[in-house]
Amino acid sequence: MYSYCRVVGCPHPARAGTAKGLDTRFCRTHADHYSRHGSPYKRSYTAKELVPHRKAVRGWLKANLTDRWVENALQRIRGLYDRSGPHVEAYRLAGMTPQERSRAAWARLRAAGVDPLKVLEAWLVVDRMIGADPQPVETTEFRRVQAAKIVHRLASGSHKRWVREVPRMVGVANIPIKEVTELHKYPHSRGRVLRLLGADIEEACGLVAGPAAR
Ligand SMILES: [Zn+2]
């Protein structure tokens, strides 16, 4: 059997194998996009697109901190922090199952001292963004993945920075120039771990009404 990628208008054949856990309903490009963004064709929202929604959500949260659903969500997020087990360095995540990785993501948030309010904020920002999008993807999966991507970024990865002096020829003179090398190791933001993390976020935050634009 030979089938085509399910994305409308895509002329490429669907992937045959199951290597790398990518979806076989789509061609390689669309399967990869799906894994990273939660939709085979719609890209993730950019930080810039999220700015106005973040402002609105922050204002709403400030005025509704004692709302019982807000309090309940924050308590649930703290529960996820508490049950997440020991902190795992980013470079040790290779070989772990998606379940272990999503737990490790919560442990990173706890270790980084990320305010649970930021997690709730991420969920509500995505909710408001999707509500305001003229061409939204309204699947549970896209919503979860978008929230998980933001939350994933809240906990910093492992970072190193070196400064060294390197001689450079400037005209006829050899001038030492400071060269900065940075190494950032972030856990990969793709695949099943984003779906699991997103499901945790929805379970904790899904009952908060928030300032959705709908
Ligand atoms: Zn395709």
Side-chain angles (χ1 to χ4, degrees):
M1 281 300 288
Y2 183 76
S3 62
Y4 283 92
C5 175
R6 296 267 190 100
V7 172
V8 177
C10 180
H12 301 292
R15 297 180 68 258
T18 52
K20 288 175 77 181
L22 295 180
D23 201 300
T24 53
R25 290 174 297 171
F26 307 106
C27 69
R28 191 180 211 306
T29 305
H30 284 123
D32 187 61
H33 193 281
Y34 185 27
S35 170
R36 289 169 191 271
H37 303 282
S39 156
Y41 52 89
K42 191 171 178 75
R43 63 161 173 78
S44 292
Y45 296 118
T46 65
K48 201 178 164 188
E49 286 172 313
L50 296 172
V51 165
H53 302 292
R54 179 161 283 123
K55 278 186 184 160
V57 166
R58 278 189 186 158
W60 186 89
L61 280 172
K62 215 172 168 184
N64 290 276
L65 270 180
T66 55
D67 174 276
R68 77 182 175 107
W69 296 114
V70 169
E71 282 182 346
N72 177 267
L74 297 177
Q75 204 176 340
R76 283 165 182 263
I77 296 161
R78 276 183 219 108
L80 285 160
Y81 282 14
D82 293 343
R83 294 192 303 275
S84 62
H87 177 248
V88 182
E89 289 293 343
Y91 62 83
R92 288 196 47 226
L93 291 169
M96 284 187 153
T97 65
Q99 284 82 2
E100 288 167 334
R101 283 163 181 256
S102 70
R103 258 167 66 95
W106 288 115
R108 273 199 309 283
L109 290 158
R110 186 196 61 220
V114 173
D115 188 337
L117 200 58
K118 292 274 175 197
V119 176
L120 175 56
E121 181 186 298
W123 176 257
L124 296 176
V125 165
V126 167
D127 184 49
R128 201 172 186 279
M129 178 81 238
I130 291 172
D133 189 340
Q135 289 181 301
V137 165
E138 291 193 294
T139 63
T140 298
E141 186 173 18
F142 182 70
R143 182 179 296 264
R144 285 178 178 176
V145 167
Q146 292 302 303
K149 287 182 96 79
I150 297 174
V151 169
H152 205 260
R153 273 196 300 270
L154 291 174
S156 50
S158 308
H159 307 282
K160 284 177 185 157
R161 189 173 189 272
W162 306 268
V163 181
R164 58 184 187 135
E165 296 210 327
V166 184
R168 283 275 164 76
M169 288 301 287
V170 178
V172 291
N174 219 343
I175 295 173
I177 304 266
K178 275 190 179 156
E179 195 179 84
V180 180
T181 307
E182 293 186 14
L183 177 73
H184 302 286
K185 174 75 181 161
Y186 286 99
H188 291 300
S189 180
R190 61 179 299 159
R192 248 179 80 62
V193 63
L194 288 180
R195 278 74 179 165
L196 293 168
L197 190 57
D200 284 346
I201 298 167
E202 178 168 22
E203 211 175 298
C205 307
L207 292 173
V208 179
R214 280 166 291 173

